[in-house]
């Protein structure tokens, strides 16, 4: 894979603002473990090799169990996720793949049964952010692992 353009260099002001937005999510009401699962799942759905690579490494650095990262793709069948995590993953999938009919009341009700209004709002912003990053990295074919040192992902010892 060869990167098409370096969007960070081409639009540094916009990158900085979007990066700052994404960094602000680190202080949101959703726990780090769930955010790791959400960013990994959206990246899998969107086929973003750079982001899947990044979020697996981040999850490991944050202490996530390796088997759970493997099970994110099959979360519905897996017994490794809590009801709250399942709700977050379901919300991630519906907002990443927005169906023609929109988000069903049934799904919204299930997710709201696990998350407060504030948490659901924060989660939605996190999903918006990862989908934006996925789109940029897929469009410009950002090479997986190419920013490991910059983001400290080399500490995951996954190469």
């Amino acid at each position: 894979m060869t990167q098409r353009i370096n969007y960070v260099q081409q639009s540094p002001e916009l990158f900085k603002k979007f990066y700052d937005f994404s960094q602000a999510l680190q202080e949101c009401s959703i726990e780090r473990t769930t955010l790791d699962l959400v960013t990994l799942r959206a990246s899998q759905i969107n086929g973003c090799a750079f982001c899947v690579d990044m979020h697996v490494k981040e999850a490991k650095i944050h202490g996530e169990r390796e088997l759970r990262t493997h099970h994110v793709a099959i979360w519905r069948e897996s017994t490794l996720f809590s009801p709250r995590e399942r709700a977050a993953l379901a919300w991630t999938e519906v907002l990443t793949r927005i169906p023609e009919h929109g988000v069903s009341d049934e799904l919204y009700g299930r997710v709201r049964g696990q998350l407060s209004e504030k948490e659901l709002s924060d989660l939605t912003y996190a999903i918006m952010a990862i989908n934006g990053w996925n789109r940029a990295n897929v469009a410009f074919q950002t090479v997986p692992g190419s920013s490991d040192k910059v983001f400290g992902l080399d500490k995951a010892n996954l190469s």
Side-chain angles (χ1 to χ4, degrees):
M1 173 185 281
T2 302
Q3 187 164 337
R4 291 177 172 154
I5 68 169
N6 185 326
Y7 66 90
V8 176
Q9 289 176 349
Q10 295 304 312
S11 304
E13 315 82 24
L14 295 173
F15 170 82
K16 173 84 169 86
K17 289 178 188 290
F18 196 51
Y19 180 80
D20 289 347
F21 167 71
S22 296
Q23 286 303 109
L25 293 165
Q26 304 306 310
E27 304 301 319
C28 79
S29 62
I30 303 297
E31 57 282 344
R32 180 75 254 169
T33 302
T34 301
L35 288 175
D36 286 337
L37 299 174
V38 163
T39 55
L40 178 55
R41 185 62 188 132
S43 299
Q44 289 172 339
I45 292 167
N46 289 321
C48 184
F50 178 84
C51 292
V52 167
D53 179 82
M54 170 182 272
H55 298 302
V56 164
K57 291 171 182 172
E58 283 182 337
K60 181 176 182 191
I61 290 168
H62 297 143
E64 184 58 76
R65 293 182 319 190
E66 189 174 341
L67 185 58
R68 281 175 34 104
T69 61
H70 291 295
H71 277 225
V72 168
I74 56 157
W75 67 268
R76 282 183 182 80
E77 294 81 19
S78 176
T79 59
L80 301 179
F81 303 103
S82 70
R84 179 179 173 83
E85 291 167 334
R86 291 176 179 286
L89 289 165
W91 196 247
T92 300
E93 287 189 0
V94 77
L95 293 186
T96 298
R97 295 180 170 136
I98 300 184
E100 206 173 295
H101 63 277
V103 177
S104 72
D105 290 339
E106 184 274 327
L107 177 60
Y108 174 78
R110 271 194 295 128
V111 174
R112 270 292 286 123
Q114 294 296 322
L115 301 168
S116 71
E117 288 182 357
K118 168 75 167 134
E119 290 168 334
L120 185 54
S121 179
D122 286 355
L123 178 61
T124 300
Y125 278 104
I127 295 165
M128 290 165 49
I130 189 55
N131 276 286
W133 289 118
N134 290 164
R135 279 145 180 77
N137 288 306
V138 167
F140 301 123
Q141 296 182 343
T142 309
V143 177
S146 61
S147 296
D148 281 4
K149 286 197 189 318
V150 172
F151 291 114
L153 299 175
D154 50 337
K155 293 180 184 99
N157 295 319
L158 294 173
S159 39

